Amino acid sequence: MTTVLTFGTFDVLHLGHLRILERAAALGDRLVVGVSSDALNIAKKGRGPVFAQEERLRIVSALRCVNEVFLEESLELKREYLVRYAADILAMGDDWRGRFDEFSDICRVVYFERTPAISTTAVIEKIRT
Ligand code: C2G
């Protein structure tokens, strides 16, 4: 059984999120998703997410391609999470290319091309205007 692990905020879920989760799931038998906590999101992006972490966890876990979710509380805990969930593959969008290569000693690290022209920020902006 091949376990794939991916991480993200997945705020205001859109097609770019769905596409990376589907492609990550297709690499193995079980997809585990680390959903960034509200506090981590504020630290990463300087603003809170639209949907609270409990809502984002529920939404992501309801997707057919996702088998398990957990709260990602720190970017520094990647290695621990990979070990805890016995990940064979770490899959991320290519906006993170190279950033997780250090984990290739314990799993395969795969970067997928981001889906162009869609982002949570763009969706928020579109609703606003
Ligand atoms: N994504 C994508 N195409 C988009 C938008 C996002 O493929 N148009 C991917 C990102 O590359 C990422 C995933 O969807 O792999 C989740 O995106 P975000 O919610 O923006 O995640 P981020 O805040 O970058 O968190 O530890 C790593 C971080 O927690 C990643």
Side-chain angles (χ1 to χ4, degrees):
M1 170 146 113
T2 303
T3 297
V4 185
L5 188 46
T6 192
F7 295 91
T9 309
F10 302 103
D11 190 26
V12 189
L13 198 82
H14 56 66
L15 211 63
H17 295 143
L18 185 61
R19 285 194 67 241
I20 195 159
L21 293 173
E22 287 177 342
R23 285 176 289 168
L27 292 177
D29 308 302
R30 168 181 175 245
L31 177 63
V32 181
V33 184
V35 176
S36 301
S37 68
D38 293 342
L40 176 55
N41 196 249
I42 291 166
K44 271 192 308 193
K45 300 186 179 172
R47 62 164 171 83
V50 174
F51 292 131
Q53 59 194 39
E54 292 76 18
E55 298 173 296
R56 292 181 286 108
L57 279 164
R58 276 200 60 182
I59 291 166
V60 173
S61 70
L63 299 173
R64 198 184 302 149
C65 59
V66 174
N67 298 98
E68 196 174 335
V69 295
F70 67 92
L71 203 60
E72 180 197 24
E73 308 220 53
S74 163
L75 293 179
E76 312 310 317
L77 292 174
K78 283 246 151 41
R79 185 171 291 273
E80 265 179 68
Y81 295 135
L82 289 164
V83 171
R84 188 183 307 165
Y85 292 95
D88 299 291
I89 301 171
L90 169 61
M92 288 301 299
D94 65 2
D95 43 330
W96 293 90
R97 185 174 294 284
R99 300 270 296 275
F100 300 128
D101 290 355
E102 63 187 284
F103 305 118
S104 51
D105 59 332
I106 53 167
C107 64
R108 200 176 129 212
V109 182
V110 175
Y111 301 98
F112 286 116
E113 203 175 300
R114 262 174 81 93
T115 302
I118 187 158
S119 69
T120 297
T121 309
V123 173
I124 293 171
E125 206 45 48
K126 193 169 177 181
I127 293 167
R128 228 185 228 143
T129 53

